[in-house]
């Protein structure tokens, strides 16, 4: 097994390497791929020193699996070249997600749709992944009619520079002299920004439209109505979501809870009397999706509310990607 990680020196790339090590994903040879600017640099991983190579160098070495986390432009340019050289590409950018010829995969929900012919596989948006983990098994049982979701997303979703902005602003608030390099159009510390990615002509942001369109594609059901409001908040542990789900069919709350409890990748944290519910602080560095505040919507029939939290750099990116790779190997698809 020859494995390439493209974008290995980035924030998500480093998380991918951490997850590969923690989950014991087997490889015989590892290629760490980055831009020409980083090529030749030494990188120590799991006690071994590697030399960073360019995408062209990696393609020439014909890896079996190539995990991409280097941005959409790099994926559009190089994913087809890796695929042509025989690699199965798992891409963490938005480049291929809505391509009708590419599968969009959350392993707990639709990994079984993959075949050997799928040479470029798309990893969904972080906020979509954690929601799908929870609503996927419910759609199978009750058929979802409509989803209303509001997100509360960590600054880590915008990269290291955004984390730096948050903590620099926090230092300034504490009276320290600190240069603040802004990633966001406004202060993020002690603030909330209803603005993730660029605004579209319909008034929604690109992030909101990702959640809407990706949900339909993964569930393979265009009849599911989805509306989203995505919000950036000053935290770093993970993304949180308030989700209201209307079903076609009536549900029993105890049965619904059991379905979630039995579903792969979900941990129920729902004991309000003892202040137990999912939080970014407790989801940080975890691979599971945490679900709580489960309660029937008393204003509408066949509708439930829930609160969903996951570490966006792990389950929302790195872990989901590695789980796809694990499935490819276990199913004999590579």
């Amino acid at each position: 097994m020859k494995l390439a990680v493209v974008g290995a020196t980035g924030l998500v790339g480093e998380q991918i390497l951490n997850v590969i090590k923690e989950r014991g994903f087997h490889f015989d040879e590892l290629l760490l791929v980055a831009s020409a600017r980083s090529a030749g640099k030494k990188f120590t991983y799991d006690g071994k020193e590697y030399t960073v190579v360019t995408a062209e160098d990696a393609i020439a070495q014909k890896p079996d699996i190539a995990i991409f986390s280097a941005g959409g432009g790099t994926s559009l340019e190089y994913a087809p070249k890796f695929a042509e050289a025989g690699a199965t590409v798992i891409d963490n950018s938005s480049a291929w997600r809505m391509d009708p010829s590419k599968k969009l995969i959350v392993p707990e929900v639709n990994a079984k749709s993959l075949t050997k012919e799928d040479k470029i596989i798309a990893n969904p948006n972080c906020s979509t992944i954690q929601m799908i983990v929870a609503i996927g098994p419910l759609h199978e049982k009750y058929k979802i009619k409509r989803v209303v979701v509001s997100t509360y997303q960590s600054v880590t979703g915008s990269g290291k520079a955004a984390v730096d902005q948050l903590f620099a602003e926090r230092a300034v608030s504490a009276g320290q002299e600190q240069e603040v390099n802004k990633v966001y159009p406004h202060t993020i510390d002690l603030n909330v920004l209803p603005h993730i990615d660029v605004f579209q002509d319909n008034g929604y942001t690109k992030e909101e439209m990702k959640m809407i369109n990706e949900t339909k594609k993964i569930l393979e059901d265009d009849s599911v109505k989805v509306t989203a409001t995505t919000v950036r908040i000053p935290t770093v542990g993970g993304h949180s979501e308030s989700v209201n789900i209307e079903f076609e069919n009536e549900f029993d709350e105890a049965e619904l809870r059991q379905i979630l409890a039995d579903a792969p990748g979900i941990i129920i944290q729902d004991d309000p009397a003892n202040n137990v519910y999912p939080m970014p602080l407790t989801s940080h560095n975890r691979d599971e999706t945490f679900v709580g505040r489960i309660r029937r919507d008393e204003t509408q029939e066949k509708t439930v509310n829930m609160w969903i939290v996951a570490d966006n750099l792990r389950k929302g990116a790195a872990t989901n990607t590695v789980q796809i790779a694990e499935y490819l190997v276990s199913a004999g698809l590579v």
Side-chain angles (χ1 to χ4, degrees), residues 90 96-116 118 120-125 128-140 213-221 263-265 315 320-321 323-328 330-331 333:
I90 307 166
W96 304 100
R97 289 175 186 159
M98 296 313 298
D99 185 319
S101 68
K102 306 295 185 291
K103 304 276 177 65
L104 188 60
I105 298 296
V106 177
E108 295 91 339
V109 175
N110 66 339
K112 290 182 180 178
S113 68
L114 291 171
T115 69
K116 285 190 175 182
D118 294 308
I120 299 177
I121 301 164
N123 204 48
N125 185 46
T128 305
I129 289 172
Q130 66 189 69
M131 185 173 77
I132 287 291
V133 169
I135 73 172
L138 300 180
H139 180 60
E140 189 175 329
N213 294 326
E214 291 176 17
T215 298
K216 294 170 181 282
K217 181 172 180 177
I218 296 165
L219 295 179
E220 297 182 20
D221 192 341
K315 183 54 188 169
N320 200 75
T321 308
Q323 287 174 320
I324 294 172
E326 290 171 342
Y327 179 82
L328 290 173
S330 67
L333 300 181

Side-chain angles (χ1 to χ4, degrees), residues 3-19:
L3 174 67
V5 177
V6 182
T9 58
L11 200 60
V12 175
E14 289 180 3
Q15 278 287 8
I16 287 170
L17 292 171
N18 289 338
V19 172

Side-chain angles (χ1 to χ4, degrees), residues 150-187:
S150 297
T151 72
Y152 306 76
Q153 296 183 219
S154 163
V155 294
T156 55
S158 303
K160 184 179 182 299
V163 178
D164 290 343
Q165 177 183 337
L166 169 61
F167 285 102
E169 289 171 347
R170 194 156 292 177
V172 170
S173 296
Q176 301 174 29
E177 287 191 13
Q178 182 81 39
E179 181 181 357
V180 178
N181 295 311
K182 288 208 168 190
V183 172
Y184 301 117
H186 304 283
T187 297

